[in-house]
Amino acid sequence: DVQMTQSPSSLSASIGDRVTITCRASQSISTYVNWYQQKPGKAPNLLIYAASPLQSGVPSRFSGNGSGTDFTLTISSLQPEDFATYYCQQSYSTPITFGQGTRLEIK
Amino acid sequence: QVQLVQSGAEMMKPGASMKVSCTASGYTFTNHYIHWVRQAPGQGLEWMGMIDPGGDDTSYAQKFQGRVTMTRDTSTNTVYMAMSSLTSDDTAVFYCAKDQAVRAARGIIDLGYDSWGQGTLVTVSS
């Protein structure tokens, strides 16, 4: 199974900050990585697919990068609605696996 | 618009079986795989498996093999996920999610899951 190690597990930041979340795969997975945002009590929401393209309707302050084993999700300027939990996901091979999640909190 | 509507919350006894439904609308049901994802209270996301509504092909995570069955009914655009031999460890919210890639392209391109059901809370307790 491909393990996805996500860091940090939690992060405190302020409105306007630039934040980066990292995901490392246990083997090379090309660009088969997606990023989701989840708010309490809600289903996840797709932000980035195939490592870097922005899903339709997602604000441009979100961006994704990486290939092979190392991937990043960056929020360029945090807004109040961005405080949530973020997950990376690999779909290179089954079983499809998610990172442990990063909880982004207001400082 | 694309919508996935799941069945309501369930309370189950240990050892029982459960079946959750996911009814799709707003797109061609048979063109996109449906995945099931589990989330235990306060925990992360866990992929359970997927079904091809256009061909009935299924793939399950090893952890759930033999205990989970995914089926579909093309007459009602509904996918079902059944799980047997429930324990308290199965208490979770179960989500269905639509693969954004059309089924012919699945495995070739990766477009993520663009639409999710609202989630079904299953509580297993004696």
Side-chain angles (χ1 to χ4, degrees), chain A residues 21 24 40 49 68 83 87 103 105 107:
Chain A
I21 299 167
R24 174 162 288 176
Y49 62 89
F83 291 94
Y87 294 93
R103 185 174 178 179
E105 300 172 321
K107 186 184 284 185

Side-chain angles (χ1 to χ4, degrees), chain B residues 53-98:
Chain B
D56 208 26
D57 179 41
T58 55
S59 175
Y60 303 121
Q62 176 104 19
K63 176 177 183 176
F64 298 104
Q65 284 273 6
R67 206 160 69 92
V68 165
T69 304
M70 297 176 189
T71 56
R72 96 298 194 213
D73 182 344
T74 55
S75 69
T76 59
N77 287 1
T78 300
V79 170
Y80 299 92
M81 187 279 295
M83 180 181 281
S84 61
S85 303
L86 294 169
T87 72
S88 57
D89 289 342
D90 294 315
T91 293
V93 175
F94 293 80
Y95 293 102
C96 60
K98 170 185 164 284

Side-chain angles (χ1 to χ4, degrees), chain A residues 32-44:
Chain A
Y32 284 80
V33 166
N34 308 307
W35 290 93
Y36 299 87
Q37 175 193 69
Q38 187 180 32
K39 296 183 177 178
K42 299 295 187 182

Side-chain angles (χ1 to χ4, degrees), chain B residues 27-41:
Chain B
Y27 72 98
T28 303
F29 176 67
T30 52
N31 275 2
H32 297 266
Y33 277 66
I34 293 288
H35 301 257
W36 287 90
V37 175
R38 182 170 83 167
Q39 187 169 39

Side-chain angles (χ1 to χ4, degrees), chain A residues 32 36 38 55 89 91, chain B residues 39 47 95 100 108 110 113:
Chain A
Y32 284 80
Y36 299 87
Q38 187 180 32
Q55 175 68 7
Q89 174 204 40
S91 59
Chain B
Q39 187 169 39
W47 183 81
Y95 293 102
Q100 187 164 216
I108 301 170
D110 175 22
Y113 307 164

